[in-house]
Amino acid sequence: MNISHPQNSREAFKMITLALSFLKRDSPESNELINFLYTPDPRISDHLNQLRDFLRIKRPTKAQSQKAGYLLERILLLAFKGLTGHSELKNYQSASHQIDQLVSGDNTEWDLILDRLYLKENNQTYRTILGEAKATNSSVSVSQFARLCSIMTLELYKSVGLGVFFTINGAAGFPKRSQKSRTSCIRHARLCQVLFNARSGKKIVVLDKDDIFDLDKNGSLITILIRKIKELEENSGLPTVSVVEPMDIDLPNYLKDLI
């Protein structure tokens, strides 16, 4: 088969889109092209540096904490803006809730995002992702997690299939990278996540500061979301690894030497 070389970036863009549409989402070939689905906004690096500066403050004032909240919302927007194929970005106060960020699309490129994030399953397609920013030092509580479940169930039932928390310290009961052992007990917000997924088929994942600081890398957001969705399905009790790791491996020591 004769394959011509792309003449410009737009033609290359179309060729990658076509290739991804034919490849199975878990195939090695698809994984090689996955970076195409997220291109960091050039401004996000500066925002991440500002967040690092805030986290160095031992006792932030109320004004500093409020500024950090706005900063995390800006990082959330810039991250969603980096997803390929989006055509709508919204932040507004609804009749009952503040909506931090909605991102959706209606083109071929966005369909690839939906497929890779398991939002096209069982003859059901959810075209929108809901983002929530929490810049507090405490972990997201059960009530805060349940609030997002409620919004996705009652207000945005037909459109939103994935909720994403942007946080500093994750959510209560979720595995953390600093832990040494596997979390075998499901409780707190983690239990809420599992039950909500089982009952509705919808997913909510949580990014902490370690995940967020990776968002200036090509493909990072889409890779993080895919790994966290898979972890929810597998319920491994381990935190997802950094995107700098090419593979997410969960094996006992007597098998690791074979990789």
Side-chain angles (χ1 to χ4, degrees), residues 84-88 103-111 114 127-128:
T84 298
H86 71 272
S87 59
E88 293 184 6
V103 58
S104 61
D106 53 11
N107 52 41
T108 303
E109 291 81 14
W110 189 251
D111 279 344
L114 300 180
R127 305 204 66 82
T128 306

Side-chain angles (χ1 to χ4, degrees), residues 65-192:
S65 296
Q66 185 179 50
K67 183 178 179 181
Y70 293 144
L71 175 63
L72 195 58
E73 282 194 51
R74 288 173 64 86
I75 292 172
L76 172 60
L77 171 58
L78 289 173
F80 277 6
K81 185 174 177 289
L83 290 172
T84 298
H86 71 272
S87 59
E88 293 184 6
L89 290 165
K90 297 180 179 179
N91 177 310
Y92 60 92
Q93 175 65 53
S94 71
S96 58
H97 293 99
Q98 169 65 35
I99 305 296
D100 281 358
Q101 196 65 59
L102 285 173
V103 58
S104 61
D106 53 11
N107 52 41
T108 303
E109 291 81 14
W110 189 251
D111 279 344
L112 292 173
I113 294 281
L114 300 180
D115 180 65
R116 266 49 181 186
L117 296 183
Y118 303 88
L119 295 177
K120 299 176 68 174
E121 300 286 323
N122 302 318
N123 297 319
Q124 173 67 56
T125 297
Y126 295 107
R127 305 204 66 82
T128 306
I129 302 171
L130 171 62
E132 178 88 358
K134 293 293 182 185
T136 60
N137 285 326
S138 57
S139 300
V140 171
S141 66
V142 174
S143 60
Q144 291 172 325
F145 203 98
R147 172 186 173 277
L148 201 65
C149 295
S150 175
I151 294 173
M152 292 174 63
T153 301
L154 300 178
E155 293 192 38
L156 302 167
Y157 179 75
K158 290 186 177 181
S159 59
V160 174
L162 174 63
V164 184
F165 272 108
F166 272 46
T167 75
I168 302 300
N169 290 309
F174 276 63
K176 300 182 184 298
R177 289 190 194 177
S178 58
Q179 70 185 46
K180 301 300 182 181
S181 59
R182 192 183 301 270
T183 299
S184 57
C185 179
I186 301 177
R187 57 184 179 177
H188 305 314
R190 173 67 163 176
L191 178 59
C192 191

Side-chain angles (χ1 to χ4, degrees), residues 5 8 20 47 84 110 115 131 217 226:
H5 293 286
N8 50 54
L20 282 170
H47 284 68
T84 298
W110 189 251
D115 180 65
K217 301 175 180 65
I226 290 171

